[in-house]
Amino acid sequence: MAEQAPAASGSPASTTDDGLTAMARTVLTLVNEARKPLGLRLLVPSPKLMQAAAEHANDMVRRGYFHFQGQNGGEDLEARVKRLGFSGRTAVALGRGTEDAEETTRHWLADSTTRPSLLEKDYRELGVGAFAGHWVLLVGQPDLVIDDKLRTRVRQLVNDERLSCRVPPLEEHPLLNHQAQVHCLDMAARSFFATINPDGKDENQRSITAGYEGKVRMLLSEIEDVDETVATWLKSAALRAAIIDSAMCAFGVGMFNGKWALLLGAMSEVKPKVDSELESDLVAAFNAQRSAAQLPPFRVVPTLKQAADGHTADMASKGFLAYDHPEARGIQGWLKEAGYKGRTFPAVTKGPTNAEAVLKIFLGSAGHKQQLLNGELRELGISVQKGYWTVILAAPQIEAGSAVREDFMKQLNSQRAAASSPAVELSLLLNAVAQLFAEDMVKRDFFAFSNPDGQTPDALVRKEGFAGSLAVALAKGVSSPEGALSAWLKNPQNQKNLLDAKFTRLGLGVAEGRWVLILGSP
């Protein structure tokens, strides 16, 4: 938004038959009288812009400022417009010093800065507010976005033409819908109008990357009206031939701010894979990435698969795409029912028809890629149903055992050797106290150096007669000995204790992701 600054205001309360205040009707009429001789679209009142303008005029008076950006704690006008749900481009004019709507509007129309905004051809809506001589005028071009009603109309018009030629109707395809809308948004964002994008990729290259196996043909239009758009395509011999081509069996359509994209899809030359094959393909694709990063492969775990299956079935039957839904268990609910214990990272998507497309989604997100290549996440559950995908990556819950303790001591002693410190050895006493403290944290649901009775691990060791020096460290949420050691080494005090030559005895307790380390000197 850019500020314009003409005259200003009053706030009549009387309303016209259409619900507008007399002031708003006056402003709208005068602006449209200036637009009409130029052949411009007449503006219509926008309830959202009206409310934003009224709120901002009131706020300027109440907080003592005159600007489209909020001051003295006030909200910016642009933020106010977005909060009220208006999505699109806007221009703003401010005024103050008058109580008359006609005088204020004529001032705006005469102002060399404000007039071009009021007479811009793309603007469609208007909102105006006034309070105590302060005026706010907003003109806006709301974003026009495809919806189910428009898609249904395109399908009807296209299939009527196909049926008149005795050609089977097209079926709507969610992936083609998505690709068509993405292309419309791309055209708006990068200011081009062509089937080939600025990266040099045509519709077939983009669709293959997204996972559509068949050949596609894209039709474009810059006519806003849906009926006119389809009629224009049908008037072109070449475009009509594409629409009635019997090889085409699917379609997808997108529209953003009057730019249309219709994708016609031919039947795939490749037989679609069943869901179980897609799941196996994705496991292989994920593990190829982990192998390249020298990480252990994922292991498919039945309880994770059970949870993924349950959530995917919910999404497919209830038509949502999210981790949770008011009428479903949600991923965490399914994990609880399946009985999985461990740290999890879920992901969901809809539309991809092959594993490569899902892998691309993971690699295209920094957060997803980080988890895909997280060495602590070693277990996996995948489910595909009716185009919906659920992926659950997980770190198994580590419990106490000789293998865990031996692994930890081996890694710690390697660090101590590099620091010229003697190796540590397992102490049965320290080990027993550490394990009991870890289990107590789980049982009584706390994570602290003191239990609810005020007892610390080192105090409990002293009660058993241990007389040497002691040091204690805690960790939560790590899923492996190397993860625990790494976390402790990042803390300066813990690192000092872990590498201190005087500590040669060790006890390690682990229970449901809670780790307790006790170091002692003989």
Side-chain angles (χ1 to χ4, degrees):
M1 289 183 185
E3 178 188 4
Q4 320 288 346
S9 99
S11 85
S14 59
T15 60
T16 57
D17 292 340
D18 55 10
L20 292 178
T21 64
M23 173 273 293
R25 173 54 58 193
T26 298
V27 174
L28 181 65
T29 299
L30 291 173
V31 172
N32 279 337
E33 284 178 355
R35 292 174 66 91
K36 189 173 182 179
L38 301 176
L40 299 174
R41 178 197 310 270
L42 299 185
L43 302 179
V44 297
S46 164
K48 294 174 182 177
L49 295 183
M50 289 286 184
Q51 183 176 346
E55 285 184 5
H56 199 73
N58 184 289
D59 196 59
M60 287 193 298
V61 173
R62 186 163 59 90
R63 298 179 186 272
Y65 68 92
F66 181 69
H67 205 275
F68 60 89
Q69 292 180 336
Q71 298 176 13
N72 304 324
E75 185 178 18
D76 290 353
L77 183 54
E78 183 175 6
R80 196 184 303 275
V81 167
K82 290 181 178 179
R83 173 175 55 79
L84 292 172
F86 184 90
S87 176
R89 188 166 64 96
T90 59
V92 58
L94 302 181
R96 62 180 171 181
T98 73
E99 297 290 338
D100 184 79
E102 182 173 347
E103 179 185 351
T104 301
T105 307
R106 295 198 185 284
H107 185 105
W108 278 326
L109 288 168
D111 183 80
S112 59
T113 304
T114 308
R115 182 179 176 85
S117 295
L118 299 183
L119 302 183
E120 185 173 329
K121 65 181 180 62
D122 292 330
Y123 285 127
R124 303 163 178 268
E125 298 184 358
L126 177 145
V128 62
F131 186 77
H134 286 62
W135 292 77
V136 178
L137 176 68
L138 284 163
V139 286
Q141 179 190 9
D143 288 338
L144 300 177
V145 182
I146 192 77
D147 58 21
D148 290 341
K149 183 178 179 181
L150 290 174
R151 285 197 174 96
T152 299
R153 183 57 177 162
V154 171
R155 180 174 63 246
Q156 177 188 349
L157 294 171
V158 167
N159 282 338
D160 283 351
E161 186 70 18
R162 287 175 66 90
L163 291 171
S164 71
C165 302
R166 298 183 179 180
V167 179
L170 298 173
E171 294 292 333
E172 191 171 345
H173 194 290
L175 185 58
L176 294 182
N177 273 338
H178 178 71
Q179 285 300 105
Q181 185 64 12
V182 167
H183 190 69
C184 290
L185 294 171
D186 192 26
M187 287 193 295
R190 296 200 277 179
S191 301
F192 73 98
F193 183 71
T195 58
I196 299 176
N197 67 18
D199 303 323
K201 293 184 177 180
D202 64 21
E203 62 268 40
N204 275 288
Q205 292 169 310
R206 297 192 300 270
S207 295
I208 289 171
T209 301
Y212 188 79
E213 302 289 353
K215 295 290 185 181
V216 298
R217 172 76 185 275
M218 178 174 278
L219 283 59
L220 300 179
S221 171
E222 289 186 288
I223 301 172
E224 182 179 310
D225 184 77
V226 59
D227 287 47
E228 288 185 47
T229 288
V230 177
T232 301
W233 287 331
L234 294 175
K235 286 177 183 177
S236 164
L239 300 184
R240 180 177 180 275
I243 288 175
I244 64 173
D245 186 350
S246 60
M248 297 298 178
C249 63
F251 85 97
V253 62
M255 187 274 287
F256 184 74
N257 284 349
K259 287 185 170 62
W260 291 82
L262 176 68
L263 269 177
L264 304 170
M267 187 174 295
S268 171
E269 299 174 1
V270 180
K271 183 180 179 181
K273 292 186 176 182
V274 298
D275 292 342
S276 59
E277 291 177 312
L278 294 174
E279 293 166 4
S280 297
D281 287 349
L282 187 55
V283 173
F286 280 173
N287 283 337
Q289 292 291 320
R290 289 173 69 86
S291 176
Q294 298 183 327
L295 293 171
F298 283 120
R299 180 173 65 91
V300 177
V301 176
T303 50
L304 291 175
K305 179 71 168 76
Q306 178 184 337
D309 282 340
H311 188 69
T312 308
D314 282 345
M315 290 195 297
S317 64
K318 294 179 171 61
F320 70 93
L321 183 68
Y323 299 145
D324 298 292
H325 189 270
E327 299 176 6
R329 286 186 181 89
I331 288 180
Q332 292 305 318
W334 280 108
L335 286 167
K336 184 177 181 181
E337 179 168 309
Y340 185 83
K341 293 184 177 180
R343 184 161 55 90
T344 58
F345 177 82
V348 295
T349 188
K350 177 188 175 185
T353 57
N354 58 43
E356 290 74 16
V358 179
L359 177 63
K360 184 179 179 182
I361 292 173
F362 264 78
L363 296 179
S365 163
H368 284 63
K369 182 178 181 180
Q370 180 183 10
Q371 299 302 334
L372 179 64
L373 302 179
N374 183 339
E376 289 199 352
L377 300 178
R378 300 185 180 185
E379 297 184 340
L380 174 70
I382 295 174
S383 178
V384 185
Q385 299 178 42
K386 298 180 180 179
Y388 288 86
W389 297 66
T390 299
V391 177
I392 306 177
L393 311 180
Q397 185 170 282
I398 298 294
E399 300 296 345
S402 58
V404 171
R405 293 187 174 96
E406 289 171 5
D407 189 8
F408 182 84
M409 286 195 299
K410 178 180 178 182
Q411 295 182 54
L412 174 57
N413 283 332
S414 175
Q415 295 283 337
R416 289 173 66 88
S420 301
S421 295
V424 294
E425 297 178 359
L426 189 66
S427 162
L428 295 179
L429 172 59
L430 299 184
N431 201 62
V433 173
Q435 184 60 37
L436 287 171
F437 199 84
E439 292 173 358
D440 189 32
M441 285 197 291
V442 173
K443 182 179 179 180
R444 296 201 274 179
D445 192 22
F446 72 95
F447 181 73
F449 285 96
S450 296
N451 65 20
D453 302 323
Q455 297 172 315
T456 61
D458 47 340
L460 293 172
V461 171
R462 298 285 186 210
K463 287 179 64 175
E464 298 297 328
F466 190 92
S469 299
L470 293 167
V472 178
L474 303 181
K476 182 179 180 182
V478 292
S479 307
S480 63
E482 58 266 35
L485 180 60
S486 176
W488 283 324
L489 288 173
K490 290 177 182 177
N491 178 286
Q493 185 59 53
N494 288 336
Q495 181 188 58
K496 179 181 177 182
N497 292 334
L498 284 163
L499 303 181
D500 193 330
K502 73 180 178 184
F503 292 123
T504 57
R505 300 291 184 268
L506 173 147
L508 184 67
V510 187
E512 295 191 13
R514 292 169 169 84
W515 296 66
V516 179
L517 173 70
I518 304 177
L519 297 169
S521 61

